[in-house]
């Protein structure tokens, strides 16, 4: 039995995609990290759930994957565009790949956010100084660490060392940080 404290990547993917939909975007692509990673699967599932909730169809031609690097994000976005996909938004599974996706869009004469809105994931420091500043899902590492420590202390206080601990998964909320790359900033 294992206790884990993890980000709620499903909800993060859902909220990022829902935000784009609420801004009027209807042809939303997804750039994943490595396809075998659970975080990628959860972010993708959240993306699909938001599309479904709003009556939008998923289109595999609007999806590609990378390896978390800027260059792989550029290549993934380029692959989506080369398929003739007419995306008006991209949800990208991390900020570095999102920067690469923005580069690919610009290389094809597309403007961010006017032509294609972009949302990343992680809220790395570079997101705030990107051009345009990147809307992103915050990966709250401090909150995850604090909660993990609290859970560990709770288990140590309440359970003898030899007792079985039931498996438990605690998910931490990942809030959306809205900046200019999606075309909307709160006042």
């Amino acid at each position: 039995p294992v206790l884990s404290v993890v980000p709620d990547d499903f909800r993060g993917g859902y909220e990022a995609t829902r935000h784009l939909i609420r801004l009027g975007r209807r042809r939303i692509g997804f750039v994943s990290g490595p396809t075998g990673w659970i975080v990628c699967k959860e972010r993708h599932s959240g993306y699909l759930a938001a599309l479904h909730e709003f009556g939008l169809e998923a289109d595999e031609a609007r999806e590609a994957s990378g390896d978390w690097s800027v260059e792989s994000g550029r290549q993934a976005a380029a692959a989506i565009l080369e398929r003739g996909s007419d995306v008006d938004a991209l949800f990208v599974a991390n900020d570095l790949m999102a920067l690469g996706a923005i580069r690919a869009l610009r290389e094809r004469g597309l403007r961010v956010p006017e032509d294609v809105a972009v949302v990343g994931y992680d809220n790395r420091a570079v997101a705030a100084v990107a051009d345009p500043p990147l809307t992103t899902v915050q990966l709250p590492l401090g909150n995850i660490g604090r909660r993990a420590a609290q859970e560990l202390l709770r288990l140590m206080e309440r359970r003898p060392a030899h007792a079985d601990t039931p498996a438990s998964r605690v998910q931490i909320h990942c809030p959306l940080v809205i900046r200019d790359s999606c075309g909307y900033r709160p006042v």
Side-chain angles (χ1 to χ4, degrees):
V2 175
L3 168 67
S4 61
V5 179
V6 297
D8 189 347
D9 287 307
F10 172 87
R11 187 78 184 171
Y14 170 83
E15 288 182 9
T17 307
R18 181 181 67 177
H19 179 70
L20 291 166
I21 294 167
R22 287 182 170 171
L23 293 174
R25 307 298 176 143
R26 295 293 179 263
R27 299 177 315 276
I28 304 168
F30 178 69
V31 175
S32 176
T35 54
W37 289 42
I38 186 89
V39 298
C40 298
K41 291 176 182 178
E42 290 180 2
R43 292 171 192 180
H44 184 250
S45 293
Y47 157 81
L48 293 175
L51 292 179
H52 178 74
E53 179 180 318
F54 287 88
L56 301 175
E57 299 221 5
D59 181 350
E60 288 185 10
R62 293 184 184 135
E63 297 182 19
S65 63
D67 65 8
W68 303 124
S69 70
V70 172
E71 180 57 22
S72 73
R74 188 192 69 74
Q75 291 174 359
I80 290 170
L81 296 170
E82 287 166 8
R83 292 182 200 130
S85 184
D86 60 343
V87 294
D88 62 4
L90 286 174
F91 168 45
V92 186
N94 88 336
D95 291 344
L96 294 179
M97 290 191 308
L99 297 177
I102 290 171
R103 183 181 302 160
L105 294 166
R106 287 186 173 151
E107 288 170 354
R108 283 148 185 83
L110 297 168
R111 299 168 301 155
V112 176
E114 296 85 356
D115 300 320
V116 181
V118 177
V119 175
Y121 208 105
D122 294 335
N123 196 28
R124 291 178 180 234
V126 70
V129 297
D131 179 28
L134 184 64
T135 296
T136 183
V137 178
Q138 169 75 42
L139 189 59
L141 298 176
N143 292 346
I144 292 168
R146 275 187 291 283
R147 182 63 185 269
Q150 290 169 350
E151 291 298 320
L152 180 60
L153 290 172
R154 181 185 62 79
L155 288 172
M156 289 171 40
E157 290 172 359
R158 295 187 182 162
R159 304 229 185 248
H162 63 279
D164 286 335
T165 303
S168 177
R169 183 173 180 182
V170 177
Q171 292 186 310
I172 303 297
H173 176 66
C174 300
L176 186 64
V177 179
I178 299 171
R179 297 191 182 102
D180 296 336
S181 68
C182 63
Y184 171 80
R185 289 211 54 181
V187 205

